[in-house]
Amino acid sequence: MATSHNAGANGPTHVDAVIVGAGFSGLYQLHLLRDRLGLSVRLLEAADGVGGTWYWNRYPGARCDSESHYYCYSFSRELQEGWQWTERYPEHAEIRRYLNYVADRLDLRPDIDLGTKVTRADFDDAANQWIVQTANGGRFVSTFLVTAVGCLSTANVPAIPGLDDFGGDWYHTGHWPHDGVDLAGKRVGLVGTGSTGIQAAPVIAAQAAHLTVFQRTANYSVPARNRPLDEQTQAWIARNRDETRRQARRTTNGHPFDIPERSALAVSADERRAIYEAAWERGGLRFRATFNDLLTNRDANETASEFIRDKIRSIVKDPQTAGKLIPRDHLYGTKRPPIDTGYFETFNRANVALVDLKAEPVERIVEEGIRTTAGTYALDVIVFATGFDALTGPLFGLNLHGRGGIALKDVWADGPRTYLGLQTPGFPNLFTITGPGSPSVLTNMPVAIEQHVEWISACIAHLRETGASRIEATPQAAEQWARHVNEAAGRTLLPMAASSWYLGANVPGKPKVFMPYAGGMAHYARICEDVAARRYDGFAIS
Ligand code: NA7
């Protein structure tokens, strides 16, 4: 295997592996490839700091929906013991501090090139090498290329006509200015009511003179019940750390709680309501885990959906506004379920208005603000909480070309095709952490990431041990995996939500293909282990 050397001031840098992205995935991948396998590695990162999604997402209220004590790495006792979270759910700045702490503790910085945006990567078949180009003129040549670019990192700014005419300022939440935005005294329009918009609305409402929320699809949300972690909780976390992490690895979505073996339809209405009430009071994504059939049985789900609709009716004082906020076109949890801090309560404030874009679609943006079919809303600032070109967007952004110069964009023109979410036929030695076809976006992310990174590292170690230098998913294996991903989704209610980004429905023109693997994280991990045990069945190794 090659060793790291720079061929000279103008020549390319030769390494064993190039990793793209310095978030949770890239940092751990660098650690394993460099420190466990002894490979020479460069990690290329477009941003000026580490943090990945948390480098960019600094919008008001930005906070993780997984709880802090398990939204972090589990692979190192030292790292875990050297860090203490301050709140139940970590705020964006705290996660950035954590990832900087990890980068320092593992001494990763010498092998990271910040401010280095990858603009293209080509596989040279004859030389069995990836050639990676960067915006600042860099060239890197490597045997392996690992993308750690996240799955929700390509901002989706809607192509609403007239945006250039707007006289105020506009921002996408995923590219929030590092110095913040002073919203005091401003009339703010917030477009989008996904997890981001629902986190941001209460915080913006408290800062701005006036907030208008532009809602296309009404959404469910459950209280997060964030709070500072007191000493007693910290002690509990430390005492139960190992068991918590073990449990997270054996559940369907990487959270350390089991779903009871009971149907929502098998208990009385009173008992069900008491269970939902308790989950509502406890707060967080665990609301989904009250019964085992909320995502598989329509009638069961309807009981949870209706419970939340009732909550909206009781929280929001103006019945007309409540009516607009009640989701009717999809079931709870079939789109990514948000959790919130005072979202529905925000609509009781005198300085907040709701615009239902289904009733009055946007016509265009004008100098004064947003014009719908019903009139013009005067605004000083527009905040787009309009989500991301999920899963495929970040990979297309790398401009990847495989064997014979074929572009990933063309190969996936009708929707992504991967084997295990980790490899694509025609792209040898390219590994895609949290790629389409992996369960990552349906999972507590660090659990999925650690599994992917460890599997990729073991795979590369296997190649080295056996004297091989190339691995590529076979078209048959990818075909079979696509069928399995489809079947797994089909066993759930998830594909029913027509406007979901799981289906690519949020980006005009994107093929409507259900992209994540819905068969469960633990099950997925077992499949991956099995594939490795069968000498990487479904991959061609040479
Ligand atoms: P989401 O969940 O994709 O939400 C985006 C929101 O923006 C959603 O309400 C969309 O409505 C709305 N949207 C998108 N395009 C438009 C246009 N053109 N006009 C009006 N409204 C629009 O993104 P988030 O950032 O909230 O969350 C993404 C993930 O990040 C989240 O799941 C966590 O994993 C972290 P729609 O529902 O499509 O009708």
Side-chain angles (χ1 to χ4, degrees):
M1 194 69 52
T3 50
S4 174
H5 67 277
N6 195 316
N10 300 315
T13 301
H14 289 261
V15 284
D16 295 325
V18 165
I19 300 167
V20 191
F24 271 97
S25 307
L27 296 179
Y28 186 32
Q29 189 69 78
L30 169 57
H31 172 56
L32 284 194
L33 292 186
R34 188 193 67 179
D35 301 332
R36 293 259 180 90
L37 271 65
L39 265 60
S40 58
V41 188
R42 284 319 286 173
L43 190 159
L44 311 178
E45 166 58 60
D48 289 328
V50 304
T53 197
W54 300 106
Y55 178 89
W56 301 104
N57 280 276
R58 304 179 188 220
Y59 59 86
R63 182 180 292 288
C64 185
D65 288 347
S66 286
E67 298 194 31
S68 51
H69 69 104
Y70 55 86
Y71 187 78
C72 48
Y73 295 114
S74 71
F75 68 87
S76 155
R77 175 167 291 275
E78 232 182 21
L79 280 181
Q80 292 187 80
E81 288 178 351
W83 183 263
Q84 209 172 43
W85 295 100
T86 63
E87 291 179 272
R88 180 176 177 187
Y89 304 94
E91 204 228 0
H92 63 95
E94 189 168 22
I95 305 173
R96 264 197 314 282
R97 282 198 296 279
Y98 169 74
L99 289 171
N100 276 283
Y101 150 80
V102 171
D104 288 333
R105 285 291 284 257
L106 300 177
D107 194 24
L108 300 176
R109 295 190 200 276
D111 294 300
I112 301 176
D113 291 347
L114 297 173
T116 304
K117 185 176 166 51
V118 170
T119 49
R120 186 178 171 116
D122 292 86
F123 184 71
D124 177 341
D125 206 2
N128 194 42
Q129 281 173 333
W130 278 95
I131 299 152
V132 180
Q133 299 177 49
T134 68
N136 42 12
R139 276 166 75 85
F140 296 81
V141 176
S142 65
T143 309
F144 300 104
L145 176 60
V146 186
T147 64
V149 288
C151 21
L152 294 157
S153 47
T154 303
N156 171 40
V157 179
I160 303 174
L163 186 54
D164 288 344
D165 302 338
F166 183 52
D169 297 316
W170 67 266
Y171 307 92
H172 186 279
T173 49
H175 288 281
W176 202 255
H178 292 191
D179 298 333
V181 180
D182 184 7
L183 298 174
K186 301 273 170 65
R187 296 162 304 173
V188 179
L190 173 67
V191 184
T193 52
S195 300
T196 300
I198 282 178
Q199 281 186 339
V203 185
I204 294 177
Q207 294 172 358
H210 190 271
L211 169 67
T212 309
V213 176
F214 293 86
Q215 167 192 279
R216 187 163 70 180
T217 305
N219 214 341
Y220 300 91
S221 185
V222 168
R225 310 234 185 259
N226 187 37
R227 57 171 182 268
L229 294 173
D230 57 22
E231 255 179 57
Q232 209 184 345
T233 314
Q234 299 282 16
W236 184 93
I237 289 170
R239 251 194 341 270
N240 292 280
R241 185 170 283 132
D242 291 347
E243 178 48 25
T244 305
R245 308 316 288 262
R246 258 198 305 278
Q247 197 181 13
R249 279 179 184 247
R250 54 166 201 258
T251 61
T252 304
N253 37 34
H255 287 261
F257 42 79
D258 292 313
I259 302 175
E261 282 302 318
R262 67 179 173 211
S263 160
L265 303 175
V267 296
S268 71
D270 283 352
E271 194 181 334
R272 197 164 51 226
R273 172 157 283 275
I275 289 168
Y276 287 143
E277 279 294 352
W280 182 269
E281 282 314 309
R282 187 175 48 220
L285 291 171
R286 201 165 167 177
F287 189 88
R288 278 185 308 189
T290 39
F291 296 100
N292 67 1
D293 51 356
L294 295 188
L295 284 184
T296 52
N297 181 317
R298 209 194 156 110
D299 293 337
N301 183 302
E302 188 54 47
T303 65
S305 296
E306 193 52 28
F307 175 87
I308 301 174
R309 292 186 199 117
D310 269 347
K311 285 288 182 193
I312 300 171
R313 287 181 193 105
S314 72
I315 295 168
V316 180
K317 296 200 175 106
D318 172 37
Q320 251 199 332
T321 305
K324 290 184 202 165
L325 285 167
I326 287 172
R328 297 182 196 284
D329 71 340
H330 68 287
L331 293 167
Y332 170 67
T334 55
K335 293 174 79 167
R336 164 65 157 75
I339 58 174
D340 70 274
T341 300
Y343 175 65
F344 294 115
E345 291 81 350
T346 295
F347 293 93
N348 294 332
R349 294 177 65 113
N351 71 333
V352 174
L354 177 68
V355 172
D356 175 4
L357 295 180
K358 289 259 163 75
E360 44 171 307
V362 171
E363 274 186 354
R364 62 180 296 115
I365 294 174
V366 292
E367 192 182 346
E368 308 80 51
I370 295 181
R371 189 161 83 207
T372 70
T373 51
T376 298
Y377 296 87
L379 303 167
D380 303 307
V381 174
I382 300 175
V383 176
F384 289 107
T386 42
F388 302 91
D389 182 354
L391 289 137
T392 51
L395 293 170
F396 290 159
L398 296 178
N399 205 1
L400 298 164
H401 292 75
R403 272 194 291 112
I406 185 137
L408 188 69
K409 254 196 163 127
D410 295 332
V411 178
W412 286 0
D414 298 328
R417 276 288 150 98
T418 68
Y419 183 33
L420 305 171
L422 296 168
Q423 267 222 340
T424 300
F427 294 77
N429 293 351
L430 169 72
F431 293 98
T432 48
I433 305 174
T434 69
S438 108
S440 57
V441 292
L442 302 175
T443 306
N444 172 36
M445 201 51 98
V447 172
I449 285 172
E450 286 191 335
Q451 186 274 345
H452 292 335
V453 168
E454 286 161 13
W455 191 92
I456 291 166
S457 306
C459 174
I460 293 176
H462 170 81
L463 297 181
R464 284 162 62 91
E465 281 156 22
T466 54
S469 59
R470 182 191 286 217
I471 182 162
E472 181 182 345
T474 67
Q476 296 81 351
E479 192 60 44
Q480 224 172 358
W481 186 249
R483 268 204 304 276
H484 182 58
V485 168
N486 242 326
E487 282 160 14
R491 282 195 289 273
T492 72
L493 302 173
L494 294 169
M496 285 176 60
S499 63
S500 151
W501 56 256
Y502 297 153
L503 273 167
N506 62 326
V507 176
K510 197 167 169 171
K512 303 258 190 314
V513 174
F514 192 86
M515 294 179 284
Y517 177 60
M521 184 59 219
H523 182 61
Y524 168 83
R526 281 196 297 278
I527 294 173
C528 291
E529 273 167 33
D530 189 49
V531 165
R534 285 188 285 118
R535 301 188 77 74
Y536 295 91
D537 192 20
F539 291 96
I541 293 181
S542 54

